[in-house]
Amino acid sequence: MNLTKLGMAIVVAAIAIATVAFASDIEPCRAEPATLQAVRLRQIELDGFWLQQGKRLIEKWLPHCIAQMEPGGAGQELANLIAAGQVIRGEPHGRYTGAPWSDAYIYNTLEAVCLALAIDARDDGELAAAQARLSATLDQWIPIILAAQLPDGYLHSFHTVHGHPRFSNIGWHEFYVMGYLLELGVAHYRATAGRDRRLYDAAIRCADQLDRTFGPPPKRTWKNGHPGLEYALCRLARLVDEVAGPGAGARYARLAKFFLDHQHELEPNSYDQSNLPAIEMVQAEGHAVRATYFYTAMADLALMLDDPAYGDAVDRLWTNAIQRKHYLTGGVGASPRGEAFGADFDLCNDGYCESCASCGLSFWAARVHRLRGDGHFVDVQERVLYNNLLGAVDLAGENFFYQNPLASDHPRYAWHGCPCCVGNIPRTLLSIKDLMYSTNSSRDTLYVNHFVGGKATIADFVAGPLGVRQETEYPWKGEVQITLWPPATREFELRLRIPRRTESELYTAEPDVANKYCVSINGQTQKPEIEKGYVVLRRAWQPADKVVLSLPLDVQRVRCDERVAANRGRVAVQRGPLTYSVEDVDHAIPASHTVLKPDAALRATWQPDLLGGVIAIDGPAFRAIPNYARLNRGGGAAVWIVEDPERAAAAAATSRSPRPEPPSRPDLDPRTVDRVAIGHFESELQHDLQGQRTASEVFRDRPWRHADVDGWFSYRLAVKPNVPQSVHVVYWGSEQGARRFDILVDGQKIAGQALLRNRPETFFDAEYPIPRNLVQDKDNISVRLQARPGAMAGGVFGLRIVEVKR
Ligand code: FUB
Ligand code: ZN
């Protein structure tokens, strides 16, 4: 035996041993005649991009969430569960604080912890130490959760502490919270390979209590005010089938179906998906988190019950959501009114895009992918994960976005009054390990869905274990090397996803990259067929066979369907799965006004010192960075960039929520030479707005602009040559904070200004005479407001050039 063969034999033996330990990574197909099955990896060695992202979540973000939820933290949600336990034991108890559904954040954070523990830390001491701390939290919190559960399985600390009657108010979200508990029970069972059943048993007790209470007469019926329980019941049903035998979990799936089928019978409305019977739904509508969770359960039922009515409804809803209501970052739910899906093509760039709605979309995509077996659904999921969701937590792992608009200068929050997203974001991202691969139901086809560097063993594949290693620098580089280790020669099909990069017909991308991929096996180029978004490679595979997939990662310019008013005259940039953003800090012009000309050459370069290491896309006076890394340096950011200033200005003028007009000033108009409508895109663009760290908002129905600490902004305004003129500015008289700045004309300071309660509770005018030499023989000048060191400039509510009063 030569050394290579000896090495291989060791690997194969190791896989065989691993197989014993990881015997049920693949979900059995018994309960569901699904097209595909999920492959859940109990352990994975990660490297590259996802290791870096995982470390950010595990070493920083999860400990941050835990600290906020512990007594003394910003939200101290754990105290509510502690108080419920005290009530149950008849002890003096603490007060309940926060939203009635606060237990939910504990559960989704702990689910993320369960996933975090599946990453093999190898020799990474920091990661191992962080995992040990997370594990200790799990050990401390599990008894607190168990102590808050009533003997019959009911668990909702808000009700237990307050003594409210159960299931009497849908706004109190018992089902939503219990859904997360069930999911935690499933995740914890899987993470411990069933060695620790405490949370699983708690989930079963809770589900049994629901099953005893709700259902066809003589049981109760009720509406779920916030879906989530239904797909959680389906998750539980699958696991119970695995643990207790086929059919054992069926009653939980039946209960899920009962809820879905009867949701519309009580107080119908689209907000909580009760306007129509589920199987008649066509439009993705209502509260976006509720909706995506509801549709996830519909897809689960289509999978588990092989019910074509559910499958057809899911297809219709998916088509509507993705082809009409899907942002380029993967976000959904444009409308802040009801945190909801908007109308078709209503994709304003300040749209809501709640992080939890992206999580819901990823869950939904996973189910429909299994139902339909098409790479399209993974294309959508990839966009969600790499953009909206990765960007929801900052690079420091200390702050998060509840909303993820595509144009914003809003910083992330350290915590939130309703931190529903805090654990949902990491549990969705860390589940990448369970999304990487799927199999068909006969387990002789392996689908490679996501390109994630790392090594794992897939158990029970073609009558044995299959070791798989992906070596890749994706998303930065397009080459993915996959090495396969079947225990011996095995015939099977390997399917590799070929991303289409335009999974929504709302967007077209140039250049087209659809057919620019290459595949080789052991160095030999292949010409495989593409089927449903995957290249198909069927052969007898030998241990250590290598497949190399090269995906094109050209910089693409993306244009949007003209029916999306907000993006007319604008272009976006993407490279591979990453959507890009422009940021104030990289430009002399605010991000939303930055222009990218159609003929500007763009190049992608690795920047090791920028934002933790990213590929930036640069052009003349232009830089874009991956959207997930946006808003880590202050200022504003925007995905959709002006390409045609006139069309973009016209579109902004007709946008859904136009900025209020400033009040008319008949006293000034006769002597006005030029005027900027502050905060109005078209006027600001016409006046060549430039600046750094500048933002515009509305106060008392009047738009204003200011520059944050050390920032500035400027406009170009018309003047009359050689006529005495002034810069006329309107300020608010109750300003506070360090607002000290200079007014410069063509680079020369003409005045200084400080704003600090100058005229309480009124707007006031200031007029700065322009020295004669600065308008000599000129027909326009630049007016710049420059913050003094450590201070801000503005806010400015009006700005004009006026002739000096005679
Ligand atoms: O109502 C529970 C959660 O809080 C929702 O999913 C979020 O949208 C937020 O309203
Ligand atoms: Zn949320």
Side-chain angles (χ1 to χ4, degrees), residues 26 34-37 438-447 461:
I26 297 186
T35 313
L36 303 187
Q37 293 182 1
S438 317
T439 69
N440 63 343
S441 52
S442 47
R443 301 176 208 183
D444 55 8
T445 296
L446 180 71
Y447 290 75
F461 184 76

Side-chain angles (χ1 to χ4, degrees), residues 646-785:
E646 267 179 38
R647 297 199 65 232
T654 59
S655 83
R656 216 166 43 103
S657 49
R659 286 277 166 98
E661 288 298 329
S664 61
R665 291 293 301 264
D667 56 325
L668 290 177
D669 288 347
R671 59 187 186 103
T672 297
V673 179
D674 195 7
R675 165 179 97 82
V676 185
I678 299 286
H680 283 249
F681 180 86
E682 188 176 12
S683 174
E684 292 194 315
L685 197 76
Q686 279 162 0
H687 289 92
D688 191 23
L689 168 67
Q690 305 210 4
Q692 289 228 306
R693 304 175 66 80
T694 175
S696 164
E697 273 295 343
V698 176
F699 171 74
R700 301 227 170 154
D701 222 21
R702 294 175 67 156
W704 54 263
R705 175 170 292 285
H706 82 175
D708 211 334
V709 179
D710 296 335
W712 60 274
F713 59 99
S714 70
Y715 297 103
R716 185 155 290 283
L717 290 106
V719 288
K720 291 187 177 167
N722 310 320
V723 171
Q725 290 156 92
S726 305
V727 176
H728 181 281
V729 186
V730 180
Y731 300 112
W732 170 238
S734 283
E735 294 283 13
Q736 301 200 29
R739 296 183 177 273
R740 293 183 301 279
F741 50 96
D742 294 326
I743 295 100
L744 294 89
V745 167
D746 284 344
Q748 187 176 318
K749 177 176 167 184
I750 63 164
Q753 178 72 54
L755 299 179
L756 185 65
R757 291 188 287 276
N758 309 51
R759 307 262 179 89
E761 287 303 305
T762 64
F763 291 96
F764 71 99
D765 296 352
E767 209 167 311
Y768 311 104
I770 306 173
R772 244 195 142 88
N773 66 312
L774 292 178
V775 289
Q776 196 171 352
D777 301 332
K778 288 187 188 164
D779 59 9
N780 68 76
I781 54 168
S782 121
V783 176
R784 171 167 168 142
L785 277 79

Side-chain angles (χ1 to χ4, degrees), residues 128-467:
Q131 286 174 318
R133 285 192 294 272
L134 294 181
S135 191
T137 299
L138 201 50
D139 283 345
Q140 284 161 17
W141 287 17
I142 289 175
I144 294 173
I145 295 170
L146 298 176
Q149 186 169 37
L150 285 155
D152 72 348
Y154 181 90
L155 205 176
H156 194 256
S157 65
F158 175 80
H159 279 75
T160 303
V161 173
H162 287 297
H164 291 311
R166 292 179 188 185
F167 307 118
S168 56
N169 180 336
I170 59 165
W172 289 340
H173 286 31
E174 283 141 295
F175 282 178
Y176 169 83
V177 169
M178 290 178 188
Y180 278 121
L181 174 69
L182 267 47
E183 291 197 84
L184 173 60
V186 170
H188 188 243
Y189 184 98
R190 290 199 188 280
T192 62
R195 283 187 293 273
D196 185 342
R197 292 177 54 131
R198 287 174 298 164
L199 287 173
Y200 171 76
D201 289 341
I204 298 275
R205 284 196 298 276
C206 180
D208 286 347
Q209 174 265 141
L210 290 167
D211 192 36
R212 284 193 301 274
T213 312
F214 297 99
K219 296 186 198 176
R220 267 190 73 176
T221 180
W222 206 39
K223 173 164 96 166
N224 189 350
H226 193 309
L229 175 62
E230 303 84 351
Y231 81 76
L233 282 164
C234 295
R235 273 183 85 177
L236 184 67
R238 284 189 203 105
L239 180 58
V240 170
D241 266 4
E242 262 180 58
V243 173
R251 62 209 174 100
Y252 304 122
R254 270 199 305 274
L255 183 59
K257 182 167 171 10
F258 173 79
F259 286 134
L260 284 190
D261 288 346
H262 296 272
Q263 173 92 344
H264 63 287
E265 288 167 6
L266 278 163
E267 296 170 28
N269 69 78
S270 58
Y271 173 75
D272 61 17
Q273 296 69 50
S274 60
N275 50 331
L276 285 170
I279 55 171
E280 289 174 22
M281 289 179 175
V282 177
Q283 289 282 327
E285 60 188 330
H287 183 268
V289 186
R290 286 168 165 83
T292 50
Y293 282 16
F294 192 85
Y295 308 151
T296 298
M298 288 173 67
D300 266 331
L301 288 185
L303 279 162
M304 300 178 81
L305 307 176
D306 199 15
D307 183 337
Y310 270 103
D312 292 349
V314 163
D315 288 346
R316 289 194 301 269
L317 291 164
W318 179 269
T319 304
N320 180 251
I322 302 306
Q323 308 303 347
R324 295 290 182 267
K325 300 174 178 173
H326 188 220
Y327 281 98
L328 195 65
T329 52
V332 286
S335 174
R337 267 189 233 121
E339 308 180 304
F341 276 102
D344 288 359
F345 309 108
D346 179 2
L347 290 167
C348 49
N349 284 316
D350 55 357
Y352 202 74
C353 294
E354 182 180 338
S355 297
C356 284
S358 283
C359 300
L361 181 57
S362 178
F363 308 154
W364 185 21
R367 299 333 191 259
V368 203
H369 176 241
R370 282 161 57 194
L371 185 65
R372 300 294 177 220
D374 195 309
H376 158 80
F377 301 100
V378 184
D379 292 353
V380 171
Q381 183 174 58
E382 181 176 59
R383 188 175 291 282
V384 177
L385 297 176
Y386 279 84
N387 298 290
N388 198 322
L389 271 180
L390 272 181
V393 174
D394 66 359
L395 296 178
E398 290 168 356
N399 299 283
F400 80 106
F401 278 137
Y402 184 108
Q403 301 156 31
N404 300 270
L406 276 70
S408 169
D409 50 22
H410 204 292
R412 293 172 179 81
Y413 313 97
W415 205 244
H416 193 284
C418 172
C420 49
C421 319
V422 295
N424 216 5
I425 299 165
R427 81 171 177 146
T428 309
L429 288 169
L430 292 170
S431 73
I432 186 80
K433 73 173 181 66
D434 297 335
L435 303 171
M436 289 166 65
Y437 304 108
S438 317
T439 69
N440 63 343
S441 52
S442 47
R443 301 176 208 183
D444 55 8
T445 296
L446 180 71
Y447 290 75
V448 179
N449 303 318
H450 288 286
F451 309 113
V452 177
K455 201 161 96 188
T457 299
I458 298 170
D460 298 334
F461 184 76
V462 199
L466 178 70

